[in-house]
Amino acid sequence: GPKVLQIPSHQIIDMGQMVTLNCDPVSNHLYFYWYKQILGQQMEFLVNFYNGKVMEKSKLFKDQFSVERPDGSYFTLKIQPTALEDSAVYFCASSLGQSGAETLYFGSGTRLTVL
Amino acid sequence: GEQVEQRPPHLSVREGDSAFITCTYTDPNSYYFFWYKQEPGASLQLLMKVFSSTEINEGQGFTVLLNKKDKRLSLNLTAAHPGDSAAYFCAVSALSGSFNKLTFGAGTRLAVCP
């Protein structure tokens, strides 16, 4: 089936540094998402992105977060500066359409550890 | 906003037994329901997508039940085998709303012992 690739699978950085998480979505998909999962808790919606713009974001999407997909390349989540509470697994997803019926295809996640 | 509670968080069954996982949700406007399976180190794989009009949904080796009155979504793995060992997540989406935003349960870690 369709694959979403996330690079890297693990990232360890010092608090205050910048980190960029990369996602290669399904090739013909138009809508892109980031979800955050703290260990042992549920995945929570961060942001969705379409046509070069953030369409909706949650309270978890702090000012230090930004997303972009320059020239149809990777869909990225940048955190600058990082904080200890940003340690989590970040899942990227993509979908063809935007309705509630659309299936989201997920990557395997990037485990971010902020020291 | 929508809240989804998933039970149990951990489940261990013997090979050949059934495994039953339940999610309850709060938003009566919820209309689309999803079950995902995640094996260790892998991405979430869609098991089944259910629309609110269908109460019983049969898959390969499992059944998904939807009870809209009780706002409950269930996954029943019949005759589980070791390959079913994984984390299972339910997710809920509303019919209306500007953009697709899934609300997930916290997951159930299923272990199927030979």
Side-chain angles (χ1 to χ4, degrees):
Chain A
K3 299 272 187 211
V4 174
L5 300 176
Q6 287 189 243
I7 303 163
S9 56
H10 293 81
Q11 181 105 32
I12 301 174
I13 58 167
D14 291 323
M15 183 175 65
Q17 285 190 312
M18 181 196 77
V19 68
T20 300
L21 309 183
N22 296 300
C23 172
D24 188 10
V26 179
S27 59
N28 61 336
H29 283 186
L30 302 173
Y31 296 84
F32 312 108
Y33 313 80
W34 284 103
Y35 281 76
K36 175 182 179 181
Q37 184 182 35
I38 294 173
L39 187 64
Q41 299 182 23
Q42 61 217 97
M43 282 203 294
E44 292 190 89
F45 171 80
L46 279 178
V47 66
N48 57 17
F49 187 85
Y50 167 73
N51 199 26
K53 297 184 193 129
V54 169
M55 304 312 297
E56 192 174 356
K57 57 185 180 181
S58 72
K59 292 180 298 189
L60 297 178
F61 194 78
K62 304 182 298 185
D63 291 342
Q64 298 89 322
F65 288 26
S66 61
V67 290
E68 63 175 357
R69 192 183 187 214
D71 301 323
S73 59
Y74 286 145
F75 175 51
T76 62
L77 173 65
K78 185 189 292 187
I79 309 175
Q80 180 178 28
T82 50
L84 294 176
E85 61 264 26
D86 296 331
S87 294
V89 180
Y90 291 84
F91 290 93
C92 171
S94 68
S95 68
L96 191 55
Q98 69 176 44
S99 79
E102 285 289 337
T103 298
L104 267 61
Y105 293 87
F106 285 85
S108 53
T110 294
R111 182 176 299 278
L112 176 66
T113 302
V114 181
L115 302 176
Chain B
E2 173 87 86
Q3 298 199 26
V4 177
E5 187 170 329
Q6 184 171 345
R7 289 279 184 269
H10 299 277
L11 182 58
S12 181
V13 301
R14 289 187 182 276
E15 186 172 6
D17 286 351
S18 294
F20 195 75
I21 304 170
T22 297
C23 290
T24 55
Y25 58 94
T26 56
D27 187 349
N29 291 321
S30 299
Y31 205 79
Y32 301 102
F33 306 88
F34 303 79
W35 280 102
Y36 284 91
K37 175 183 179 182
Q38 185 184 31
E39 296 179 13
S43 58
L44 280 79
Q45 298 293 323
L46 180 70
L47 272 183
M48 183 170 277
K49 181 164 68 177
V50 174
F51 297 132
S52 126
S53 57
T54 313
E55 292 186 344
I56 300 174
N57 303 267
E58 301 280 353
Q60 208 164 14
F62 62 90
T63 303
V64 170
L65 302 171
L66 176 61
N67 181 328
K68 286 211 75 183
K69 177 173 167 287
D70 294 342
K71 298 196 201 65
R72 183 179 297 123
L73 176 73
S74 303
L75 171 68
N76 185 29
L77 294 162
T78 51
H81 56 85
D84 292 330
S85 297
Y88 291 82
F89 295 89
C90 64
V92 178
S93 160
L95 173 63
S96 59
S98 54
F99 286 90
N100 195 342
K101 183 172 69 177
L102 292 179
T103 302
F104 280 86
T108 296
R109 276 78 185 163
L110 173 65
V112 181
C113 308

